[in-house]
Amino acid sequence: MNGAAAALRAFARSSAPALLWRTVLAACLVCGIGLLPWLSRTDPALTVLRARSADRDPAPETLRAIRDQLDLDDGPLTLLGRWLGGLLRGDAGTSWVSGSQVLPGFAPALGVSLLLMAGALAVAAATAAAVCARTLRLGARGRLAGRRAGGTATAVLAALPEFLVASVLVSVIGVQLGWLPALGWYGPQWMVLPSLAVGLPAGAVLGRMLDDLLPGAFAEPWAVAAAARGVPPKSVARQAVRRCVPGLLPNLALFVAGLTGGSVAVEQIFDIPGIGRLTLHAALSQDLPVLQTGTLALVLLAAIAGALARAAARLLTGPALRDGALQSLHRPRPPVPRTLPLLYAGVLAAVIGVGLPRDPIALDTLARLQAPSPEHPFGTDALGRDVLARISHGALTTLGTALAVSAAALVTGLLLGLLPRLSGPLVDTLGAVPPVLAGLLVTGIMGSGPWTPAFAVAVVAWSPLAAHTAALLRQERATTHLRATRALGAGRRHLLVHELLPAVAPQVARHALLRLPGIALSLAALGFLGLGAQPPSPDWGLLLAENQPYAERAPWAVLFPAAVLALLGALAVTAAGGARLPRRRTRPVGPAGPPADRVAPAPPRRPERDPAHLTSVSASPTEER
């Protein structure tokens, strides 16, 4: 009996349950995709016929021939089992649309996407380094005390839609200036512009997250001692980056999977034959063998990237993670200036308020593509509609939906991040699903509706926050002050409420605010690809999609919506600097006994507020919170 219990405990501590849970999730995702035509209550034969030839008459005998050719009458479970059986033999089946083998055409698309991902990661790394350059320079010289939080330029980069950046790069650098080729994929020169379009927003987000952790690293005892002994600032900066990178690696792994399969709009604009574009076309035509193969490849890529990220985090952290000898990167943040957030919020509110009285759907064919004027401050679009009115009315739905999805993602990410063994495989699996593919799946199952894009984005929006929470908790549990608090009798509830959550929740909340423009852009991307709001809705994504073909003739029709998105990003980044938990008053324990929320005997006052206890365990007086 004892031997069986010991074996069960050993199994629970091993990696086998996580591997089993990961396999179950991947199987459920692939099976759900295999059942998509039947779940969406559509005729797969009709969808395949339209994908093969849109002009062909869907006569009953034609549909019957397609059903017999694809064996659709055998049922979805039989088809799925047949595909899985062939996959074990190295055969991913035959495309329902083209009739060719899946793997010979899929391998080049995967190679193209991996190459684009590598270029985008290089651009993202350079962008993140530029974002953190000022903090690294000041921190390595011990001059961070009076640093003011910046980030407006970063916010603009993070808030620009990938498809808008791609359109601008194509029209300006590729067509007008002719510096680089814009369309196709024939060599290294063709990957520069798409890598910039994909990597700039990702690097801005990663740079802001790293910039949020660096002040805590520069305040640790090793950094103070290194500066006192005259260690070169470059060496101190490198070690600070190494100290903070393990907390970002899980999100970097999600970026790898997201950049590989999630750059659908960029691949469409640059005419890149990548896996994202291939998967999108397969989903639209319900070409199940291609769609299942693409999804399975993205899930495997996400699992490999996640495993490498976890191994790299353990390697960079070293035995300090095992021995509980880390210092906390959570530091008291000084009050941030409220001027910039109030300024951005005021400008955004003024733009929305001025445009609300205007009619967003009123047509005036005589005023098509007019430049900004007193009558139309932001100009008009191709149908003569007022751009300011459409931006203002679209803000009510776009911003409201983005805020609701961000709040739900923050709560879900924090809760599931507390359970890394449960959420880790779930994060890797869902992180491999691009929002566009999630939108297609949700639309196919739930049908089109006003909340369908929001639900599709919410399904995958929480995973980066959960990964960030789990990574920060892993390091916070290995800190010296937490060992001291636990040794002095604090229970799990006390540690969670008074130590772990105050250290992790503010950083994750700032991360959620940084992702607010990205969530709005995911909703806009669904609208850009025709999966979100439908005309004549003034949704921001649909607004950009409608005006993008006229960017050269009427640039104001695209620049003003993009400027409002950038303003939203600036507001989110500057407001994120003030995200923190409210400071609670701690009452010393009197004769009446310990506080009610204590589950184990604790010292008369919180250990982190007693310098004597701190100096006896950790050499860092800045651990006091």
Side-chain angles (χ1 to χ4, degrees):
M1 193 72 176
N2 293 333
L8 286 177
R9 286 194 297 269
F11 177 78
R13 287 193 296 267
S14 68
S15 58
L19 180 61
L20 179 62
W21 177 226
R22 194 183 304 275
T23 304
V24 170
L25 289 174
C28 291
L29 179 61
V30 174
C31 292
I33 291 175
L35 299 175
L36 178 60
W38 290 268
L39 291 175
S40 59
R41 298 172 295 279
T42 58
D43 186 1
L46 179 60
T47 307
V48 171
L49 176 64
R50 290 175 177 172
R52 290 178 177 178
S53 177
D55 299 331
R56 192 172 179 182
D57 182 34
E61 57 274 10
T62 304
L63 297 178
R64 170 55 59 186
I66 293 177
R67 290 191 185 95
D68 294 340
Q69 179 188 3
L70 302 179
D71 297 327
L72 295 178
D73 291 336
D74 293 344
L77 296 180
T78 302
L79 292 176
L80 183 61
R82 193 176 301 161
W83 178 80
L84 290 174
L87 195 64
L88 295 177
R89 301 189 302 270
D91 181 14
T94 304
S95 171
W96 287 3
V97 176
S98 65
S100 60
Q101 292 293 319
V102 173
L103 285 182
F106 180 80
L110 180 60
V112 168
S113 292
L114 291 177
L115 189 60
L116 176 60
M117 179 265 293
L121 284 180
V123 173
T127 306
V131 171
C132 300
R134 180 169 174 264
T135 302
L136 287 172
R137 185 177 66 254
L138 296 178
R141 292 169 172 79
R143 300 175 183 173
L144 274 179
R147 183 185 72 110
R148 286 180 175 268
T152 302
T154 308
V156 173
L157 284 178
L160 287 178
E162 293 178 356
F163 52 84
L164 180 60
V165 176
S167 301
V168 172
L169 291 177
V170 166
S171 60
V172 176
I173 298 180
V175 177
Q176 295 181 2
L177 299 177
W179 290 349
L180 290 169
L183 300 178
W185 190 267
Y186 305 104
Q189 292 181 343
W190 276 263
M191 67 179 293
V192 175
L193 294 182
S195 298
L196 288 173
V198 177
L200 285 175
V205 175
L206 287 175
R208 290 297 304 180
M209 294 172 61
L210 179 59
D211 193 69
D212 192 37
L213 293 175
L214 283 174
F218 283 121
E220 289 184 345
W222 68 265
V224 178
R229 293 181 62 86
V231 176
K234 290 184 178 180
S235 300
V236 178
R238 282 197 300 267
Q239 293 301 321
V241 172
R242 178 177 177 175
R243 174 68 180 89
C244 299
V245 161
L248 303 180
L249 284 176
N251 273 276
L252 183 61
L254 292 179
F255 271 113
V256 168
L259 293 177
T260 304
S263 308
V264 180
V266 174
E267 292 181 0
Q268 288 277 78
I269 293 173
F270 286 99
D271 194 24
I272 299 174
I275 187 176
R277 186 181 177 190
L278 181 66
T279 306
L280 174 64
H281 290 171
L284 292 175
S285 61
Q286 293 187 355
D287 192 352
L288 293 188
V290 177
L291 181 59
Q292 290 169 329
T293 305
T295 305
L296 185 60
L298 290 176
V299 170
L300 291 177
L301 176 64
I304 294 173
L308 291 177
R310 288 187 290 271
R314 288 193 295 268
L315 180 64
L316 290 174
T317 308
L321 185 66
R322 178 197 63 206
D323 299 336
L326 292 176
Q327 303 292 322
S328 178
L329 290 177
H330 170 64
R331 304 288 168 178
R333 297 175 63 90
V336 296
R338 304 291 182 181
T339 307
L340 283 179
L342 292 177
L343 176 62
Y344 296 141
V347 174
L348 185 60
V351 170
I352 296 174
V354 171
L356 282 179
R358 299 169 179 264
D359 190 350
I361 60 176
L363 302 179
D364 186 0
T365 55
L366 298 179
R368 296 176 64 251
L369 301 178
Q370 282 191 354
S373 63
E375 184 180 0
H376 301 288
F378 286 3
T380 61
D381 63 5
L383 298 177
R385 295 173 297 190
D386 188 80
V387 175
L388 175 59
R390 295 184 64 75
I391 290 176
S392 300
H393 286 266
L396 298 179
T397 56
T398 304
L399 293 182
T401 305
L403 284 172
V405 172
S406 298
L410 174 59
V411 175
T412 307
L414 277 174
L415 293 179
L416 291 180
L418 298 175
L419 306 170
R421 293 190 178 182
L422 172 66
S423 63
L426 192 60
V427 165
D428 291 343
T429 304
L430 291 181
V433 181
V436 173
L437 181 57
L440 288 171
L441 296 176
V442 172
T443 303
I445 296 174
M446 299 177 55
S448 299
W451 288 100
T452 300
F455 184 77
V457 175
V459 167
V460 296
W462 61 269
S463 55
L465 303 178
H468 195 194
T469 302
L472 293 178
L473 280 175
R474 189 179 302 114
Q475 296 197 47
E476 195 68 25
R477 287 193 178 104
T479 54
T480 54
H481 80 88
L482 201 70
R483 290 183 59 194
T485 309
R486 189 185 295 113
L488 290 168
R492 291 186 177 181
R493 184 173 180 272
H494 178 91
L495 293 175
L496 177 64
V497 175
H498 296 276
E499 301 293 338
L500 295 177
L501 282 181
V504 171
Q507 298 189 55
V508 179
R510 291 193 290 272
H511 184 187
L513 279 174
L514 291 177
R515 288 193 173 270
L516 174 61
I519 289 176
L521 296 182
S522 297
L523 297 171
L526 292 176
F528 178 80
L529 295 171
L531 303 176
Q534 300 299 319
S537 170
D539 179 81
W540 284 0
L542 186 60
L543 187 63
L544 289 167
E546 292 174 341
N547 295 325
Q548 191 266 337
Y550 308 97
E552 293 186 15
R553 292 177 54 194
W556 53 84
V558 175
L559 291 180
F560 281 114
V564 175
L565 275 171
L567 184 63
L568 172 63
L571 173 61
V573 169
T574 52
R580 67 192 69 187
L581 291 181
R583 302 180 69 179
R584 296 174 289 103
R585 289 186 176 181
T586 53
R587 183 175 57 179
V589 178
D597 63 347
R598 191 141 43 184
V599 296
R605 40 172 68 187
R606 292 174 57 198
E608 70 275 14
R609 294 189 178 274
D610 190 348
H613 290 290
L614 284 173
T615 53
S616 66
V617 180
S618 170
S620 174
T622 56
E623 290 296 323
E624 181 179 350
R625 290 198 294 275

